[in-house]
Amino acid sequence: MFRRRKPDAEVDSPEPEAPSEPEPAGQAPPPPRFDRPLFAGFDDEDPEVARVDVEQRLEHGLERTRGGFVSRLRGYLGTEGEGPSWDDVEETLIAGDVGAALAMDVVEAARRRRDPGGAEAAVRAELASLLVPRDAGWEPRPSVAGGPAVVLIVGVNGTGKTTTIGKLAARYTAEGRTVLLAAADTFRAAAIDQLQIWADRAGVQVVSHAPGADPGAVVYDALDAAVARGADIVIADTAGRLHTKSNLMDELAKIRRIVDRRLPGAQPETLFVLDATTGQNGLQQAKAFHEAAGLTGVVLTKLDSTAKGGIVFAIEHDLGVPVRFVGVGEQAGDLLPFDPDAFVAALFA
């Protein structure tokens, strides 16, 4: 069934607004705007201004990581007149969630590099080299004529899946694209209601069935509705039980088959939502989902809540899958597109 937006009086508003002219009958209110546009080209925003704003938000969001393991890393790399303590550098990288084997490789490569900028420049360059190549202008695109772009959101419960979907919906709606959400996490209590709250805030519709319904049927109906309505993007929530349960992985594989059945030849984006505070444990979860669902990207949430931002390097190196977005705050505009160069620069700012 379709869940439409609630009347304006029922939608939470973060701040009271000045009285305005009433909306004409039958006309939906405009979608919410961010305090400051983050997207190049949106509302004629200067692309350079938007880029700088994103970099500033990223730098602010990485304060804990910069003051945590990166600060210790710089201390062990030594100052002028002092040589680096490579054993301590390796231990610090491990403590920062880079991972033991990877930390050893980074240190060995940095020592061989003999960078003219010194040990810090060598380690920084080696860390940057771990991040996989990506298209600078990546965004979900339809792969079937007349069909929508399809994004499957997967991950373990509690990592911020529903919040991420809401922020993505707000982002794409602000860019002028029509978004439809599919409430395919039918097993978790209140999952559908939580998704509806975010849909109301973003001004988008949700396709849902009753709790406990077949998730594949929800996705199929959402694709049907998207084609009929000319929607640009379908974002599907999925179940998030622990990755050790094989039935969850089977369900994800089934959803992929259903997408292909409804839109033959479609190539959905499958984004894994990972809580940055879970570190290496979260990486193991990502590996299990990658084996089952074939991840095409990672959304790293709560990066502002950890002092161990090294998990970004471990994810991209071990999975060979790019981080697409990072969450550095609670607001919709705090879900930032991931730029490898800007990320490394913000770490060592």
Side-chain angles (χ1 to χ4, degrees), residues 29-280:
R33 294 169 57 100
F34 301 126
D35 293 337
R36 181 165 176 74
L38 287 176
F39 320 114
F42 174 59
D43 274 358
D44 297 324
E45 176 78 4
D46 185 335
E48 180 63 17
V49 173
R51 182 189 64 79
V52 171
D53 193 35
V54 170
E55 291 178 355
Q56 289 175 342
R57 289 183 184 232
L58 179 61
E59 184 172 331
H60 177 72
L62 290 175
E63 280 184 356
R64 295 188 67 172
T65 292
R66 194 165 49 248
F69 104 91
V70 173
S71 177
R72 294 192 297 274
L73 187 64
R74 284 179 140 166
Y76 291 131
L77 285 169
T79 56
E80 187 175 352
E82 298 179 358
S85 174
W86 290 111
D87 287 345
D88 289 326
V89 169
E90 183 178 323
E91 291 180 6
T92 303
L93 289 172
I94 295 172
D97 279 337
V98 172
L102 192 54
M104 184 182 301
D105 291 344
V106 168
V107 167
E108 289 181 357
R111 295 180 71 168
R112 291 194 304 267
R113 180 180 281 267
R114 299 186 181 279
D115 196 296
E120 180 179 318
V123 170
R124 177 172 172 169
E126 289 301 325
L127 288 173
S129 71
L130 300 174
L131 302 176
V132 302
R134 69 204 68 212
D135 296 332
W138 175 88
E139 62 179 18
R141 294 183 175 91
S143 51
V144 177
V150 181
V151 181
L152 306 179
I153 304 296
V154 304
V156 176
N157 287 339
T159 56
K161 274 196 305 114
T162 306
T163 300
T164 295
I165 292 171
K167 291 179 178 180
L168 287 174
R171 163 178 286 275
Y172 294 131
T173 299
E175 291 177 347
R177 305 172 78 177
T178 305
V179 180
L180 189 65
L181 304 185
D185 183 358
T186 61
F187 301 115
R188 182 171 63 89
I192 299 173
D193 291 338
Q194 289 174 2
L195 191 65
Q196 183 65 53
I197 291 173
W198 276 102
D200 291 340
R201 293 172 180 172
V204 301
Q205 288 188 329
V206 180
V207 174
S208 65
H209 290 188
D214 179 6
V218 177
V219 172
Y220 192 95
D221 286 352
L223 296 176
D224 255 353
V227 171
R229 294 165 181 243
D232 299 309
I233 304 177
V234 172
I235 305 177
D237 190 12
T238 64
R241 291 174 178 168
L242 291 177
H243 66 281
T244 51
K245 296 185 178 179
S246 61
N247 60 341
L248 170 59
M249 298 306 180
D250 292 341
E251 193 62 54
L252 292 176
K254 175 183 174 183
I255 288 176
R256 291 291 297 267
R257 292 194 300 271
I258 286 174
V259 172
D260 190 60
R261 183 190 310 163
R262 180 59 186 83
L263 298 174
Q267 299 176 352
E269 297 285 347
T270 305
L271 304 184
F272 179 80
V273 179
L274 190 152
D275 181 343
T277 64
T278 61
Q280 289 292 311

Side-chain angles (χ1 to χ4, degrees), residues 290-302:
H290 191 32
E291 291 175 1
L295 305 181
T296 61
V298 174
V299 179
L300 195 62
T301 63
K302 309 176 188 178

